[in-house]
Amino acid sequence: EYMGSKKKMGKLFIGIACAISLIGVASLVGALVHNKYSGDDIRWSISLFFVILTLPISFWDIKQHLTFLHTENLQIPIVRIMWMVPIYSLDSFFAFQWHKYSVFFTISREMYEAYVIYNFVLFLIRFVAIREQFTSQHELKRLTNDEVQTIVKSVLNKKLPLKHQFPFCWTRPWSTSGTTCEYYNKCRRGVTQYVLCRIILSIVAYLGQILDVYEEGSLSPKSLYLYIAIILNFSQCYAFYCLVMVYRILNEELKPMNPLPKFLCVKSVVFLSWWQGLFIEALIELNIIPKKDNEGHDLSNELQCLLICFEMFIAAIAHHHVFPCNASYLFINGQRNNSVFNDENKISIGKRFKKMVFVEDVVDDARDVTTDLKTKLVAKSSSLSVTNNNNN
């Protein structure tokens, strides 16, 4: 039964990749034959070419992780990260194909990047928790979110606070002591706030586009896009800062799984694609490149989508090498952290996807962030009321 489920899963992913590839090749040939190699079609054809190359690589790697689920605590975040490649690739191609709805595709794509950053931090802290748990108990078991937090906080309690880097070098170091462990909570909430901020502002952007006030790519003070871009830029930078702080303080514990290539892989895709879009918009505002192509389409959107389709092909190859399903860090002394299932690792396809898709961990962290914010607002309000009463 288990081998049968593996074969079914393999056939599913390979079938999807082959079907998309065949449709893509047929569409590519038809476009080039009937439209006589217009500039728009050449860009479209190049984008489709890289999508066809990217999807089989990415789907195969995802299939391998879900089939050989050695360490669920680590591989579920990895699979969520790896889904970034097909999502970005297909989303960019669809935005290129259907210009009218490109804004909605772009907003949806960018919403997922916040989720990727969150899962990468989750991957790092779970790795530390799993190794610490094995070191102390000499056995592996699936860890709950609460257990992961408790173990990682105990690791941080043994460390000295780190001085902040620019631009926060003027603030006091986050405390690493106590059961609350300010350092851990600040980093976790700093990443979670980006997820919440991205979701909320994406909804605002959707509404702005419907009401025709969004004006994607416009740097005019009258456009909603400018203010959303500014807020998201600060939110994203702070999330990445918290990610760097996690990496800095847990550097020794993370060395066995060589985190730097993984960190660069995630950071380059998420961070550079954002700045790449802003750079293209700046070139248009400076009249270095035209705003519209010969067919009257938004050239900035076409260039961004074209570059992302190419970059996702590179990212798919990078993910294949930095997130292999047989990586040594997924095993500790030959053991696998998967006691939630039996030793033969029998689990249906539906349960594998359920683990990947369901976001209870994000919901828990989001609830914690909102509760913390509410507590601070209530405390601040109470403090202001006391001050006003004393003045009166």
Side-chain angles (χ1 to χ4, degrees):
E1 180 184 351
Y2 170 58
M3 292 303 296
S5 69
K6 289 202 296 183
K7 290 180 179 179
K8 288 180 181 179
M9 182 177 287
K11 290 179 179 179
L12 173 65
F13 279 97
I14 293 172
I16 291 174
C18 291
I20 292 174
S21 299
L22 290 174
I23 294 172
V25 170
S27 302
L28 174 59
V29 173
L32 294 179
V33 170
H34 295 293
N35 292 305
K36 299 180 181 180
Y37 301 96
S38 67
D40 187 41
D41 287 319
I42 291 175
R43 290 189 291 271
W44 179 87
S45 301
I46 295 173
S47 299
L48 180 58
F49 174 74
F50 283 111
V51 170
I52 293 171
L53 293 178
T54 299
L55 294 184
I57 299 173
S58 185
F59 282 152
W60 173 258
D61 287 334
I62 291 171
K63 173 256 177 186
Q64 290 293 91
H65 273 285
L66 291 178
T67 301
F68 304 104
L69 202 63
H70 311 300
T71 309
E72 179 196 333
N73 283 113
L74 298 180
Q75 286 176 279
I76 293 302
I78 288 175
V79 170
R80 291 171 177 173
I81 293 169
M82 296 184 78
W83 266 108
M84 171 179 60
V85 171
I87 288 174
Y88 269 47
S89 184
L90 286 173
D91 189 281
S92 298
F93 178 73
F94 291 153
F96 198 109
Q97 175 69 20
W98 291 287
H99 298 277
K100 183 179 179 180
Y101 305 104
S102 63
V103 174
F104 298 102
F105 286 118
T106 302
I107 295 171
S108 301
R109 179 183 70 234
E110 292 175 346
M111 195 186 305
Y112 194 78
E113 73 180 26
Y115 190 49
V116 169
I117 298 175
Y118 172 87
N119 276 283
F120 187 66
V121 173
L122 194 65
F123 167 70
L124 296 180
I125 63 175
R126 283 184 176 181
F127 175 81
V128 173
I130 288 172
R131 291 192 67 86
E132 288 296 318
Q133 182 262 340
F134 179 79
T135 301
S136 60
Q137 301 181 16
H138 302 288
E139 65 174 350
L140 288 175
K141 66 175 183 177
R142 181 181 180 272
L143 301 176
T144 65
N145 288 334
D146 289 339
E147 289 174 332
V148 169
Q149 292 185 32
T150 301
I151 294 172
V152 174
K153 286 179 180 179
S154 67
V155 173
L156 294 176
N157 289 160
K158 303 172 186 177
K159 296 179 176 288
L160 296 174
L162 295 180
K163 292 184 178 180
H164 284 287
Q165 295 179 317
F166 180 85
F168 301 104
C169 49
W170 53 274
T171 61
R172 68 170 181 82
W174 293 334
S175 172
T176 56
S177 61
T179 55
T180 56
C181 191
E182 181 187 23
Y183 197 106
Y184 177 85
N185 289 332
K186 290 283 188 179
C187 291
R188 183 168 61 94
R189 291 166 184 170
V191 174
T192 307
Q193 61 81 26
Y194 180 46
V195 178
L196 296 176
C197 188
R198 175 61 84 174
I199 293 173
I200 294 171
L201 291 181
S202 293
I203 295 173
V204 173
Y206 282 135
L207 296 176
Q209 180 65 17
I210 294 173
L211 299 174
D212 200 28
V213 296
Y214 182 58
E215 299 182 26
E216 184 189 24
S218 174
L219 301 181
S220 168
K222 297 181 180 179
S223 71
L224 182 62
Y225 170 83
L226 175 63
Y227 301 102
I228 290 179
I230 292 173
I231 296 172
L232 283 177
N233 186 44
F234 280 107
S235 177
Q236 186 190 66
C237 288
Y238 184 65
F240 266 113
Y241 179 80
C242 292
L243 173 57
V244 171
M245 293 297 284
V246 171
Y247 175 77
R248 286 181 63 203
I249 199 164
L250 296 176
N251 184 44
E252 287 299 320
E253 289 78 8
L254 293 172
K255 277 184 178 180
M257 60 95 158
N258 193 15
L260 185 58
K262 301 171 180 61
F263 175 78
L264 294 177
C265 195
V266 171
K267 184 175 181 179
S268 60
V269 172
V270 175
F271 196 70
L272 295 182
S273 63
W274 167 259
W275 283 102
Q276 175 179 275
L278 291 181
F279 180 70
I280 293 173
E281 297 296 344
L283 292 179
I284 291 175
E285 290 292 326
L286 296 173
N287 296 320
I288 297 176
I289 59 176
K291 187 173 184 178
K292 303 287 184 180
D293 62 10
N294 295 333
E295 288 77 20
H297 299 142
D298 186 354
L299 188 58
S300 67
N301 176 67
E302 291 189 351
L303 290 176
Q304 175 75 333
C305 291
L306 174 62
L307 290 172
I308 288 177
C309 287
F310 167 71
E311 291 159 357
M312 288 306 102
F313 172 61
I314 304 300
I317 297 174
H319 281 185
H320 178 77
H321 290 285
V322 302
F323 292 117
C325 70
N326 60 347
S328 59
Y329 61 80
L330 297 177
F331 304 87
I332 300 179
N333 287 4
Q335 298 189 42
R336 59 188 179 195
N337 175 20
N338 201 33
S339 63
V340 67
F341 310 120
N342 60 29
D343 292 336
E344 295 181 0
N345 196 23
K346 294 179 180 179
I347 176 174
S348 67
I349 294 176
K351 287 184 179 180
R352 295 175 195 269
F353 276 100
K354 181 180 177 181
K355 289 289 182 180
M356 180 188 67
V357 175
F358 277 28
V359 291
E360 298 97 333
D361 40 12
V362 184
V363 173
D364 290 341
D365 282 344
R367 186 184 296 114
D368 181 64
V369 169
T370 53
T371 301
D372 181 64
L373 179 61
K374 182 179 178 180
T375 302
K376 288 182 178 180
L377 290 175
V378 170
K380 186 69 174 178
S381 177
S382 301
S383 177
L384 290 174
S385 298
V386 171
T387 302
N388 291 334
N389 291 335
N390 291 336
N391 291 336
N392 293 333

